[in-house]
Amino acid sequence: MVLVSAVRDYINRMLQDISGMKVLILDSHTVSIVSVAYSQSELLQKEVFLVELVDSISKSNESMSHLKAVFFLRPTSENIQHLRRQLASPRFGEYHLFFSNLLKDTQIHILADSDEQEVVQQVQEFYADFVAIDTYHFTLNVPSNHIYMLPAVVDPSNLQHFCDRVVDGIAAIFLALKRRPIIRYQRTSDIAKRIAQETAKLMYQQESGLFDFRRTEISPLLLVVDRRDDPVTPLLNQWTYQAMVHELIGIQDNKVDLRNIGKLPQDQQEVVLSSEQDAFFKANMYENFGDIGMNIKQLVDEFQQIAKSNQNIQTIEDMAKFVDNYPEYRKMQGNVSKHVTLVTEMSKIVEERKLMLVSQTEQDLACNGGQVTAFEAVTNLLNNERISDIDRLRLVMLYALRYEKESPVQLMQLFNKLASQSPKYKPGLVQFLLKQAGVDKRTGDLYGNRDLLNIARNMARGLKGIENVYTQHQPLLFQTMESISKGRLKDVDYPFVGNHFQQGRPQEVVIFIVGGTTYEESRSVALQNASNSGIRFILGGSVVLNSKRFLKDLEEAQRIARSSPAVV
Amino acid sequence: MASRNRTIIFRRYRDALKSVRAPASSSPASSLTTSAGGPVIELVSTSLINPNRSYAPLSTEDPGNSSKGALTVGLPPAWVDVSEEIAANVQLARTRMAELAKAHAKALMPSFGDGKEDQRLIESLSQEITGLIKRSEKKLQRLSAAGPSEDSNVRKNVQRSLATDLQNLSMELRKKQSTYLKRLRQQKEGQDGVDLEMNLNGNRSTMEDDDLDNMVFNEHQMAKLKKSEALTAEREREIQQVVDSVNELAQIMKDLSVLVIDQGTIVDRIDYNIQNVATTVEEGLKQLQKAERTQKHGGMVRCATVLIIMCFIMLVLLILKEIFL
């Protein structure tokens, strides 16, 4: 509950001292931030009777001066302009302004200038500038995420915006946790280095007073890594509940949009998958597909029992009991149908796309060796007509990432076959991926075949046998976390910023992946945290990726790189 | 959790900028307010809806700073009175509920007296609470507004919040009543059991007597029988009353459940509600425009005009006929 409760505390503090009817005004980013942590009914309890977006507030001129306005915005220049217009002709009785990050003095000046009628009662900075989707997982929903793949010369201003947003988000996390960390970054990634250095400058120089918290013995660690160090994880198909829903259907701010999937009843078209509010989901979000099926069947059986007993109403007492338990019953009904719908739709998709077949090869490519068998398997699947384009592309990419240097002839063959069959994906996407995330560009030991220790570990795992073929892959993050726990994260690969130094093992670690995280990685973090190793890991990224999103980012970056003269 | 208060810096800037602007524009404004004198009803800064807070009166005070004269009076719209009434009812119902709990406890304790006044108190309290809830529910329906607008959203949300409160109240009341009912039944059975036992013993004892005596019930036993009958009848009535109020409340709950938000579903999400507002406002606008258009070019209007023209023509023809004939 760490991240979610931080956001909830901030919102509670915003609302508690203001009495009377309130209207809460948010912008498009803070809407996500607030929606994942606070529910509408809780807002109603706090007497917030209207929630609006700041751009639509200015459209109406209705004066509602019996309401007090609570603004919670990001301190961007557009929002300051909106506020200026609002303050010039105020619609509400009182104005309480809360900003999710640091305000510049010029911005305060502008606001003070436009507040001629002195309606503003307070201006505060409450650092809830991240979307807390799970207990230990946050995201920033950065709009043009693909820009991280391009060198700085291509679009320096957009890249600066991206870095600013990321630095703001990371700063907000540490302000919410009241800590100032030691910062390390991935050596081979320019953007990770840039973000690490800018964060260090902010925390230790520009706003060192604000970040000057009580020093604990061992400072926490912030590790900034690049997505391209582990391009395999976002490309794989997933088989654990939360990751699978995101991969096959898509989760945005803990909401699943089922409208495009099929004909569904009105109340099931958009559903909420939140581990805070749904006990069944909390217990099953990291379980694999087979176990979920069994658990859902159990849930349905329980529900049917209750439904049957409800139909058997004979005495007035029964009726009274039914009416008493009706809200619970209705809630359970909604929950059961939600999970049943999700699992049904996912089974349909698995069947259509033959994902069990495809995923077996994917996992082999990601985890096991054997170039020849891999080549054969991929070729077979490419020849199989019922495999969809995107799955073919993923297979070739996974093969290319692993066997980039071995047997280039066969790799070429695969490229050609792919190009001939899938005209939708412009040729060269795989090559672009290799240029971005090829073996020369990566720091971590993605396949565990670099040093002897890793090879031995892999062999041992192979001998032990695998529990489930479909979930054998461990993201690179898992290894990174293990190294940190043992205090063995190499300085060569992950240097410190400036003259930071860490003695001993940190007890709190925030890992930020520039380019996006995946739900498989957040599962890894949650399981690591549950194993009571004494270290608490928090994971965050610029977005939450699935294979579609990752490929889209690649395509966008490729398109821009092609059209830009600056890139060789 | 860290935060930073920028209000002081803001106020400093604001005052500095005000003094820069002041010589130019503030003089007409200040003269206006000072001439107005007297108490002006300022912004309503009380908690109107929250029943947990004490009811503070409207603040009537002079506007302190001259620049506030430009701000218009902040009187809430009329429907706020309705919601205020409902909130007051809810508060009253809560206090009565506490009293009812005490009365229940007292009635269930074994006592020598008749307990009739306890029964009456319980009855009156239950009826009062049920009446309050019913009236509040009817008033709640009045809060619904037509047409998509910001005000209607506020009303809808106020409605929802009050509906949740009412539903919780009615569930609490029913739970209390059903536990009371259960314990009452247990007591009644106990008493009846004792009575039955006595009757049985009585019958057996008479059986052992002369046969003639068996034919005639002892006066004593007759009285006892009548008394236990009356008691039973009374208990039946009480139980029936409680059951009636349970049914009433069930009906109310059904109506309310339409208004109350299901927690944990998509309807409880803030971003979903914002989206919906946007789409309903747009939809509403489109509908209004369509209605306007159809009304203008509507068949009805054309028909009506044609008929009126025909009427005029007929009238003229009639007059002409009269003149020439």
Side-chain angles (χ1 to χ4, degrees), chain A residues 289-464:
Chain A
F289 201 39
D291 292 337
I292 301 165
M294 288 198 317
N295 291 343
I296 287 188
K297 178 170 177 325
Q298 217 175 12
L299 190 72
V300 170
D301 285 339
E302 275 172 30
F303 176 70
Q304 273 182 343
Q305 282 268 16
I306 298 182
K308 220 179 297 183
S309 74
N310 273 346
Q311 282 174 357
N312 192 12
I313 298 181
Q314 290 183 342
T315 66
I316 298 214
E317 218 173 65
D318 281 347
M319 189 155 80
K321 221 188 327 168
F322 172 72
V323 176
D324 271 335
N325 296 335
Y326 186 63
E328 281 290 317
Y329 173 77
R330 211 161 84 146
K331 192 165 163 193
M332 199 177 170
Q333 185 184 41
N335 213 24
V336 169
S337 36
K338 168 175 81 179
H339 289 290
V340 168
T341 310
L342 280 173
V343 172
T344 319
E345 294 304 323
M346 290 200 296
S347 303
K348 268 195 240 169
I349 297 176
V350 167
E351 191 45 50
E352 261 174 54
R353 283 167 60 182
K354 305 266 170 284
L355 284 177
M356 312 248 347
L357 193 57
V358 173
S359 190
Q360 199 165 11
T361 312
E362 283 176 8
Q363 294 280 333
D364 277 337
L365 283 171
C367 310
N368 308 326
Q371 188 262 327
V372 179
T373 37
F375 179 71
E376 272 179 37
V378 175
T379 320
N380 281 341
L381 283 173
L382 282 182
N383 289 334
N384 189 335
E385 301 221 319
R386 278 179 303 172
I387 307 288
S388 67
D389 287 344
I390 190 174
D391 294 324
R392 287 199 191 118
L393 180 62
R394 286 193 321 190
L395 283 167
V396 174
M397 279 184 171
L398 286 166
Y399 178 89
L401 282 168
R402 182 150 198 158
Y403 302 113
E404 194 183 337
K405 304 289 186 196
E406 304 177 32
S407 175
V409 172
Q410 290 185 324
L411 188 61
M412 214 58 211
Q413 283 180 350
L414 286 178
F415 283 169
N416 292 336
K417 188 168 274 198
L418 182 68
S420 67
Q421 284 173 345
S422 314
K424 177 179 164 208
Y425 291 100
K426 295 206 187 68
L429 196 60
V430 188
Q431 282 97 325
F432 185 71
L433 173 66
L434 287 176
K435 242 194 297 182
Q436 292 277 326
V439 75
D440 310 321
K441 297 284 172 33
R442 298 198 298 260
T443 306
D445 193 4
L446 188 56
Y447 294 109
N449 49 13
R450 274 213 199 144
D451 60 7
L452 244 56
L453 191 60
N454 275 338
I455 298 179
R457 220 182 278 159
N458 270 351
M459 261 198 279
R461 209 158 26 108
L463 285 174
K464 200 164 48 150

Side-chain angles (χ1 to χ4, degrees), chain A residues 10 13 49 91 115 253 324, chain B residues 2-3 14 150 157 174:
Chain A
Y10 274 131
R13 270 170 55 181
F49 291 123
R91 288 179 58 201
D115 187 20
D253 298 336
D324 271 335
Chain B
S3 66
R14 188 169 67 185
E150 276 178 352
N157 283 330
R174 277 212 330 284

Side-chain angles (χ1 to χ4, degrees), chain B residues 147-207:
Chain B
S149 70
E150 276 178 352
D151 188 52
S152 70
N153 280 326
V154 181
R155 286 164 80 143
K156 189 174 73 151
N157 283 330
V158 171
Q159 215 184 11
R160 272 176 174 170
S161 150
L162 289 171
T164 323
D165 285 340
L166 281 178
Q167 193 181 55
N168 289 341
L169 259 183
S170 60
M171 282 202 330
E172 220 183 296
L173 177 64
R174 277 212 330 284
K175 225 175 280 190
K176 282 204 166 72
Q177 282 184 328
S178 58
T179 39
Y180 175 62
L181 200 63
K182 225 185 295 177
R183 285 208 222 135
L184 206 60
R185 278 221 182 100
Q186 281 172 359
Q187 272 194 1
K188 168 185 156 195
E189 272 165 25
Q191 258 187 8
D192 274 357
V194 171
D195 281 352
L196 274 169
E197 211 185 62
M198 277 172 40
N199 274 344
L200 221 57
N201 280 340
N203 277 344
R204 247 191 282 127
S205 60
T206 49
M207 290 275 195

Side-chain angles (χ1 to χ4, degrees), chain A residues 1 3 133-138 240 242 275 281-287 474-475 477-478 481 509 511 518-540:
Chain A
M1 281 280 277
L3 295 172
I133 35 189
D134 277 323
T135 317
Y136 299 111
H137 187 199
F138 71 90
T240 58
Q242 188 186 36
S275 58
F281 184 64
K282 186 171 182 151
N284 285 292
M285 57 201 275
Y286 303 129
E287 299 295 321
Q474 292 269 26
L477 187 69
F478 179 72
M481 287 196 292
V509 180
I511 303 181
T518 59
Y519 279 116
E520 186 182 348
E521 286 162 336
S522 89
R523 171 177 182 264
S524 198
V525 167
L527 293 178
Q528 174 79 15
N529 281 334
S531 72
N532 278 337
S533 61
I535 302 186
R536 189 173 73 174
F537 287 94
I538 294 178
L539 177 69

